[in-house]
Amino acid sequence: MNAAGLVVITGATRGLGRAMVAEFSRRGWTVAGCGRNPVAVTELARQFPEPHRFDPVDVRDDAAVRQWAETVMGRLGAPDLLLNNAAVINRLAPLWELSAQEFDLVIDVNIKGVTNVIRHFVPAMIRRGRGVIVNFSSGWGRSVDAQVAPYCATKWAIEGLTRALAEELPRGLAAVALNPGIIHTDMLESCFGSSAAAYPPPETWARSAVPFLLKLGPSHNGQSLTAPGA
């Protein structure tokens, strides 16, 4: 994609999401994003005013996602890039020690949330005949580790969901699963503790990842990709 257009980013208020907002904006792209924390959303909107748009949305809520999609596309059109970045991770514990509620939260955000966003944005992209959907996976979507079984399960699911979605898309569109690599975020700190500081911050990651994302197109449909430097 050579010309600037619209990128939609879930989980836009923290970590990778916020870094991507800044980098896409710097490159002249219009960004529409969402996050669960209304205060953080308001702060982001103040930093990146119109034509950008940011809304408080819980991606687990299908009706809320539908309303958000209708509002965004009613004002800005269908996205050129749809980045399903919103995700949570379970507290570190063996699977049998995690409650049903803890497990459900990870499943609902990381799988159902992605599907809700696809359900309400992708039909408009299909009607227009172009666009790229990037579903954020993980190294733990292609490998496993102890004490993060729910998170691993969701990211493995994202890999399969994305490949199946790619089979369903018409020519001109693409769906890819992206392993962003290991970046120093709050999520990484919950797993790695102080060792997380040894990894690059989101802002550094975004400077190389965003140009990579902008090069994606129909030829990448169905691929499982890894961000540069991961």
Side-chain angles (χ1 to χ4, degrees), residues 91-136:
R91 66 180 175 88
L92 297 183
L95 182 58
W96 59 87
E97 292 183 4
L98 293 167
S99 69
Q101 290 80 4
E102 290 174 299
F103 186 84
D104 287 351
L105 174 63
V106 181
I107 296 294
D108 288 350
V109 173
N110 296 9
I111 302 177
K112 293 181 182 179
V114 169
T115 305
N116 289 341
V117 172
I118 288 169
R119 180 180 298 116
H120 296 299
F121 278 98
V122 170
M125 299 169 72
I126 292 173
R127 288 192 295 270
R128 192 181 58 182
R130 69 177 190 273
V132 176
I133 304 116
V134 179
N135 297 326
F136 276 61

Side-chain angles (χ1 to χ4, degrees), residues 61-85:
D61 184 337
D62 182 65
V65 173
R66 182 182 67 247
Q67 182 177 3
W68 176 52
E70 290 173 353
T71 300
V72 167
M73 292 190 293
R75 298 186 182 187
L76 300 172
D80 299 281
L81 263 176
L82 178 61
L83 306 182
N84 274 305
N85 165 67

Side-chain angles (χ1 to χ4, degrees), residues 36-199:
R36 285 192 292 172
N37 185 327
V39 174
V41 169
T42 299
E43 178 188 341
L44 194 62
R46 187 162 45 244
Q47 184 178 358
F48 299 96
E50 292 185 352
H52 310 296
R53 180 182 177 91
F54 302 96
D55 295 278
V57 180
D58 186 339
V59 295
R60 296 175 294 177
D61 184 337
D62 182 65
V65 173
R66 182 182 67 247
Q67 182 177 3
W68 176 52
E70 290 173 353
T71 300
V72 167
M73 292 190 293
R75 298 186 182 187
L76 300 172
D80 299 281
L81 263 176
L82 178 61
L83 306 182
N84 274 305
N85 165 67
V88 297
I89 196 167
N90 57 280
R91 66 180 175 88
L92 297 183
L95 182 58
W96 59 87
E97 292 183 4
L98 293 167
S99 69
Q101 290 80 4
E102 290 174 299
F103 186 84
D104 287 351
L105 174 63
V106 181
I107 296 294
D108 288 350
V109 173
N110 296 9
I111 302 177
K112 293 181 182 179
V114 169
T115 305
N116 289 341
V117 172
I118 288 169
R119 180 180 298 116
H120 296 299
F121 278 98
V122 170
M125 299 169 72
I126 292 173
R127 288 192 295 270
R128 192 181 58 182
R130 69 177 190 273
V132 176
I133 304 116
V134 179
N135 297 326
F136 276 61
S137 179
S138 169
W140 281 334
R142 301 168 192 175
S143 64
V144 297
D145 207 343
Q147 298 190 313
V148 287
Y151 184 79
C152 291
T154 63
K155 294 305 184 179
W156 279 74
I158 287 300
E159 293 279 338
L161 181 150
T162 304
R163 290 176 64 181
L165 172 63
E167 294 289 325
E168 299 165 351
L169 292 174
R171 182 175 299 179
L173 279 80
V176 303
L178 179 73
N179 169 18
I182 306 177
I183 305 102
H184 182 196
T185 62
D186 292 346
M187 185 180 293
L188 191 69
E189 288 184 1
S190 74
C191 301
F192 284 21
S194 60
S195 299
Y199 296 91

